[in-house]
Amino acid sequence: MTGEKAGRPPELHHQHRDVSGGWLRPAVFGAMDGLVSNFALIAGIAGGKQDPKVVLLAGLAGLAAGAFSMAAGEYISVASQSELALAEIEIERLELARNPVAEQHELAEVFEARGVDRETAAEVARQLSRNPEGALEMHSKEELGVSPGDLPSPLLAAGSSFLSFAVGALLPVLPYLLGASSLWPAAAVAALGLFFAGALVSRVTTRAWWFGGARQLLFGAAAAAITYGVGAVIGTNGL
């Protein structure tokens, strides 16, 4: 024996990563969006040989505009999605009240399709259907993929998007706030932020941290280089 009592199955302990992304995915991607878009904006203005104060003003304006836009868009998107889900849940609630037997058979068919034998599936559906709210939750999860009491908050989504975007957009602006007069300090800070954000995303993927960081750095640098070139061309032609 190895310390386990006879007849008792060994305890298994294992953990999975959060495959849904949880709070990490929207937060990191919001910050990444702010960082890439605002750094690209700053690079385009700097490429036009503008005064550092103009670059700083553009960066702050891009931060504010982007953060408010992200928050408004996220609020409307999540609110609309929740309203649609609630409307469909209400339809399901009415069906459960009008046709309880048919809905019970429908739930039994769901369990049977998952490999449960017919008699057991019918009994499980019968027991679950005794509680109207429990039956509604089960039908909503199976047919709509949502739970009535677990819908996302539009305000929380908007606030999270606003803060994460603002944090990311602030990074390339910081050197100018501290007195930088060229793009290089902002580029260095943005590069570090891009690599860190990409590496952090690897927590919700199967990629290595260095691959995620390098990939995000590459795409962010490409976006900044393109807008810098556009700004340089426009500045050279005096447009």
Side-chain angles (χ1 to χ4, degrees), residues 142-158:
E142 293 297 332
E143 298 179 32
L144 305 175
V146 297
S147 175
D150 195 29
L151 295 176
S153 167
L155 286 175
L156 180 59

Side-chain angles (χ1 to χ4, degrees), residues 110-122:
V110 170
F111 294 132
E112 191 175 347
R114 293 188 174 186
V116 180
D117 64 79
R118 179 171 299 179
E119 292 76 13
T120 303

